[in-house]
Amino acid sequence: MSSVSKGDRKASLDAASWLFNVVTSVGIILVNKALMATYGFSFATTLTGLHFATTTLLTFILKSLGYIQTSHLPFSDIIKFVLFANFSIVGMNVSLMWNSVGFYQIAKLSMIPVSCFLEVVLDNVRYSRDTKLSIVLVLLGVAVCTVTDVSVNTKGFVAAVIAVWSTALQQYYVHFLQRKYSIGSFNLLGHTAPAQAASLLLVGPFLDYFLTGKRVDAYDYGFTSTLFIILSCTIAVGTNLSQFICIGRFTAVTFQVLGHMKTILVLILGFIFFGKEGLNLHVVLGMIVAIAGMIWYGNASSKPGGKERRSFSLPKTQEYSAVPVSSEPDTKE
């Protein structure tokens, strides 16, 4: 196969991976918003545990059918990954409760420079001037779109710091583990999802009661709300898988930068489906600036010397899992 054909195939797979991630991520946010706002199911941590339980079930079925190859991942790496991932989920939920929405959004934006720092320190990555400026432009645009009131307190700040660093470490670890052990996205999910499901379903009800004052077992499970929960769990499988695929194919920084396209789409769809309250000129300008920054980042990071350069190489990860990309959970809302 010629280098041009290989390049076209890689570009097609990259585009399919991003599209899969955008569609599933935006979809789950809209479903969860309806589930929580309309039907009052405010148990976010327990719901995330159900997401990973569903993912575990699917990976078990696919492995039994032979679609997922047997692979090995050291138990110590699984524990570290699950700790990072669970602290990320819990930290985000607690940060949203204890901080204003504006400071919560600032904390989410700070994940990009933290991810850059991790790649520079741990992987000896270097970025060109244009790549750095494009990242700043994306941060500026998204901040203009999403940051309104900003207030912070000590415990909220601590929760935000824990959430940001644990999320950045979890996403870095996704890329690192796939490279180091040459395992695909579904293989990695098969190793980590069971432990995440068990731990979140164990801790989730207590944490949700602490955050909301409501018990998940006392919720009035109607037919429609149960359907929304099932739909959320179903979409979450694709969201989880697509996140692992994208970070494995690219890096945590690229995933974060281009991932803010989902923030823009959620804002636009929110204005369409839930009313135009909050839509004004500076929000529109922020969207335009953010999109321009993403385009600039794509161009700048693809040029020689513009993207991260490693001083050492890990084993090459599989391009995609055993299951076709046409079907690839943030998750965290």
Side-chain angles (χ1 to χ4, degrees), residues 91-105 107 149-161 163:
M92 281 297 177
N93 290 337
V94 174
S95 175
L96 182 58
M97 175 189 176
W98 285 346
N99 294 314
S100 66
V101 175
F103 185 79
Y104 174 78
Q105 292 293 344
D149 61 308
V150 178
S151 61
V152 64
N153 53 70
T154 302
K155 63 180 183 180
F157 179 79
V158 172
V161 170

Side-chain angles (χ1 to χ4, degrees), residues 26-43:
V26 173
I28 198 171
I29 289 173
L30 294 177
V31 169
N32 287 351
K33 184 173 182 178
L35 179 61
M36 295 180 181
T38 305
Y39 298 100
F41 191 86
S42 55
F43 311 103

Side-chain angles (χ1 to χ4, degrees), residues 41 43 46 205-206 208-209 214-221:
F41 191 86
F43 311 103
T46 303
F206 299 100
D208 289 333
Y209 180 76
K214 301 176 183 178
R215 290 170 45 184
V216 66
D217 60 312
Y219 177 75
D220 183 16
Y221 292 90

